[in-house]
Each structure stands twice: as C-alpha cells, then as structure tokens.
C-alpha cells in the first residue's frame, strides 16, 4: 500500500463464493511478526443492501512503527453492518508501545492539527465514502504502560479510552493515567508525581490536564500544579521557603 503499515506475511485464506455471499471461513497470517485471524461474510456485494460482518483478532500485533513511535496490541475488532452504516467495535489493549521523538526546547504541540470546529485537535480524518461514515466503538486500554523516552521526558502512561465518533470525525473519551516521570526543563529537572489527561464527553477534542510536579532548585523545594485545557493550562507554583511569584 501507499502508506506506512507493518509487513504482512504467511497469508492463507479459505473462502466460498456465491452470487449472494462471499464467506471468508478463515483468513490468517502474520502482521509485523505476530499472528492474526480474521473471518466473516460480505452479503449482496453489488446491491444496495450490501452488508459486512467480519471479526479480527490477534495477540501482540504490530499496529504501527517508525523511528519515533512503536505500538503493539492485543486486538479484537468487529466490523459489522450495512456498507453505508458500518460500525467498528471491540478492544485494543497495548502490549508494547513507546514514543521516542526528541524535541527542540521551544517545540511543543506545534504539529498538532487543529479541529475544523475551531478548538482542540483532530486525530485523523477519513473523508472517502463509505468509511467517512464508519462509526467507532473501540476501547483502548493497556496491559503494559506506554513508554515516553526522549530528551524532554522519561516516563509512561496508561490509556483508558473509548474511540468514538466517525471515520471523518473520530473522538476520544476517557482518561490517560500519567505514571511518575521526569521532565527535563531549561531551568532543571522536575519530577512528575502523578496525573491525568482527561478527554471529556462535552469537549473530547480538547483534553484537560491534571498534573502535579516537584523540583528542588537552588535549595528551594518547588511544587507545580498544572490543570486546565492542554493548549491553555493553568500552572500554579509554590515553594518552600516561599519565593515571590516572579522568581518562581
């Protein structure tokens, strides 16, 4: 294909075909070195009442990999319904993942694509029919933490999310749990004690931060509380012994 995807191999398919139904009894292979199985039916392929019903499952499947990102997951997905109103449901549980891209000191979320609605960001967008109307109902969890390892951070996160919306406008709802981590800032190192990134039902494309960090700089114990929208967070600083706000 003309886009990045893991290598496919060892493909085997058993199928039967009639004018009304294509039945895939078994379609197996290896995706990124991990085995997968798929089966299902495609009814009335050329008619207005075309329907699909397919199931995909695999353990530790490589979903994506490049120099900056790696993602493997146990995957159980079902694609079902009329072609014009398909739904993709199931669960993706991260088994091995990491984000490794290094950043310049002043780089942040400059590369995030803004939503057409004016706020937040867009995950991706499928604009071609019939997948633009595809409905998502997929739980995203983690059997092992998703690692963050680069020049600005060392830590890990655990997603507990639902992918909803449509192919054209996908949405995340739920939480990402931030485990203890280290942040490397121009002023020094900060220990991130714990936190959440919340994707709320009312504004899923604008996640909210709820983070607590501590640092010891020049003999001062500094605490940072970070909350609010990811693109406009409120950062409240305090210290022992107390320092004026401008010095903090």
């Amino acid at each position: 294909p003309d886009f990045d995807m893991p290598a496919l191999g060892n493909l085997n398919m058993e199928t039967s075909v009639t004018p009304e139904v294509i039945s895939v009894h078994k379609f197996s292979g290896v995706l990124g070195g991990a085995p997968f199985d798929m089966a299902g039916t495609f009814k009335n392929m050329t008619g207005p009442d075309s329907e699909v019903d397919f199931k995909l499952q695999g353990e530790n499947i490589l979903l994506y990999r490049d120099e900056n990102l790696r993602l493997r997951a146990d995957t159980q997905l079902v694609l079902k319904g009329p072609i014009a109103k398909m739904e993709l449901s199931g669960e993706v549980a991260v088994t091995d993942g990491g984000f490794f891209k290094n950043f310049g000191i002043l780089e942040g979320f400059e590369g995030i694509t803004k939503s057409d609605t004016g706020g937040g960001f867009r995950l991706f967008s499928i604009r071609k029919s019939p997948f633009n109307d595809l409905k998502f109902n997929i739980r995203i969890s983690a059997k092992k933490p998703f690692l963050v390892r680069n020049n600005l951070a060392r830590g890990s996160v655990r997603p507990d999310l639902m992918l909803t919306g449509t192919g054209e406008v996908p949405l995340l709802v739920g939480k990402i749990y931030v485990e203890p981590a280290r942040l490397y800032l121009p002023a020094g190192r900060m220990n991130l004690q714990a936190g959440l990134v919340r994707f709320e039902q009312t504004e899923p494309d604008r996640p909210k931060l709820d983070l607590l960090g501590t640092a010891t700089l020049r003999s001062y114990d500094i605490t940072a509380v970070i909350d609010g929208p990811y693109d406009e967070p409120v950062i409240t600083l305090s210290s022992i012994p107390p320092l004026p706000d401008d010095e903090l």
Side-chain angles (χ1 to χ4, degrees), residues 56-61 63 72-77 91-93:
L56 169 69
Q57 64 178 15
E59 294 184 358
N60 204 36
I61 291 179
L63 299 179
R72 285 185 177 272
D74 290 350
T75 305
Q76 293 187 347
L77 297 175
E91 181 173 2
V92 173

Side-chain angles (χ1 to χ4, degrees), residues 159-171:
D160 185 8
L161 300 165
M162 290 295 299
L163 176 62
T164 63
T166 65
E168 188 167 4
V169 186
L171 301 170

Side-chain angles (χ1 to χ4, degrees), residues 16-23 42-51:
S16 60
V17 180
T18 71
E20 292 79 23
V21 181
I22 295 178
S23 297
F42 191 168
K43 299 179 181 179
N44 302 318
M45 187 170 60
T46 59
D49 300 324
S50 299
E51 290 188 22

Side-chain angles (χ1 to χ4, degrees), residues 24-189:
V24 178
H25 307 295
K26 183 177 182 180
F27 178 33
S28 63
V30 174
L31 180 61
F36 72 89
D37 290 288
M38 186 171 69
T41 58
F42 191 168
K43 299 179 181 179
N44 302 318
M45 187 170 60
T46 59
D49 300 324
S50 299
E51 290 188 22
V52 295
D53 186 355
F54 279 92
K55 296 180 180 179
L56 169 69
Q57 64 178 15
E59 294 184 358
N60 204 36
I61 291 179
L62 181 62
L63 299 179
Y64 190 84
R65 180 174 61 194
D66 63 18
E67 61 182 3
N68 298 319
L69 178 67
R70 180 182 72 247
L71 182 60
R72 285 185 177 272
D74 290 350
T75 305
Q76 293 187 347
L77 297 175
V78 176
L79 179 65
K80 190 172 183 178
I83 290 295
K85 296 181 179 180
M86 293 183 292
E87 180 179 85
L88 185 62
S89 61
E91 181 173 2
V92 173
V94 175
T95 54
D96 178 30
F99 179 68
F100 310 104
K101 181 180 179 180
N102 288 328
F103 290 90
I105 291 298
L106 299 181
E107 278 187 274
F109 292 98
E110 296 174 358
I112 287 179
T113 304
K114 291 293 184 180
S115 167
D116 294 335
T117 58
F121 66 91
R122 184 175 61 233
L123 297 170
F124 57 87
S125 183
I126 305 173
R127 300 184 181 273
K128 292 185 178 181
S129 179
F131 294 103
N132 59 327
D133 291 326
L134 173 67
K135 292 184 178 181
F136 292 115
N137 184 23
I138 301 172
R139 182 171 183 243
I140 302 172
S141 61
K143 292 187 173 182
K144 293 184 179 180
F146 183 89
L147 305 178
V148 179
R149 297 282 190 274
N150 57 36
N151 61 321
L152 295 185
R154 294 286 191 278
S156 59
V157 299
R158 288 182 178 270
D160 185 8
L161 300 165
M162 290 295 299
L163 176 62
T164 63
T166 65
E168 188 167 4
V169 186
L171 301 170
L172 286 175
V173 178
K175 299 175 181 178
I176 295 177
Y177 294 90
V178 181
E179 301 191 335
R182 289 182 178 177
L183 303 180
Y184 298 92
L185 307 175
R189 188 178 71 188

